[in-house]
């Protein structure tokens, strides 16, 4: 499987049977954050998503960037494929979104 890296679009992609799967990422806070993993249903189940995420994180590690996962698939991938400490350039971080409801203001 040939995986292409488009640095300007922050995207890793590959094609199969005329369909394209890809991951998009942002680089911030010293890390590469996978934002989305997209693989059309027609080419799903072939390990394409895993290969794309691995390629992105291999690139990150090669550049000394931490591996960050906003994308749910990438977060699960990191849990299933831990990076050995001696190969980890920085922290592995999974971004968690949460709703914060402010408490009642103090009226004292």
């Amino acid at each position: 499987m040939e995986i292409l890296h488009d640095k300007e679009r922050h995207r890793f992609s590959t094609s199969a049977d005329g369909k394209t799967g890809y991951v998009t990422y942002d680089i911030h806070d010293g890390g590469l954050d996978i934002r989305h993993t997209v693989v059309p249903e027609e080419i799903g189940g072939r390990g394409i998503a895993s290969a794309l995420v691995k390629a992105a994180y291999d690139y990150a590690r090669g550049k000394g960037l931490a591996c960050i996962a906003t994308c749910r698939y990438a977060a699960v991938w990191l849990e299933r494929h831990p990076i050995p400490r001696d190969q980890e350039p920085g922290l592995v971080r999974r971004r968690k979104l949460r709703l914060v409801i402010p408490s009642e203001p103090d009226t004292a």
Side-chain angles (χ1 to χ4, degrees):
M1 168 182 333
E2 180 182 11
I3 296 177
L4 304 174
H5 183 197
D6 183 340
K7 291 180 185 177
E8 290 182 14
R9 293 176 65 193
H10 290 189
R11 176 175 148 143
F12 285 84
S13 64
T14 191
S15 295
D17 300 337
K19 304 289 182 183
T20 300
Y22 61 91
V23 297
T24 60
Y25 66 89
D26 288 327
I27 294 179
H28 59 83
D29 301 323
L32 183 144
D33 181 4
I34 293 183
R35 309 288 296 185
H36 300 285
T37 302
V38 177
V39 176
E41 187 175 320
E42 297 88 349
I43 59 172
R46 302 182 195 183
I48 292 171
S50 181
L52 290 167
V53 169
K54 180 181 184 312
Y57 287 144
D58 285 350
Y59 172 77
R61 291 170 43 210
K63 295 291 185 184
L65 299 169
C67 298
I68 306 171
T70 296
C71 166
R72 185 173 303 185
Y73 180 88
V76 170
W77 189 94
L78 281 172
E79 289 173 7
R80 292 181 180 167
H81 303 87
I83 298 170
R85 286 271 181 210
D86 64 334
Q87 296 177 17
E88 186 177 320
L91 298 174
V92 174
R93 297 178 291 210
R94 290 154 197 86
R95 296 171 60 92
K96 297 192 188 257
L97 303 177
R98 61 186 174 134
L99 177 62
V100 177
I101 301 172
S103 59
E104 294 290 323
D106 288 334
T107 56

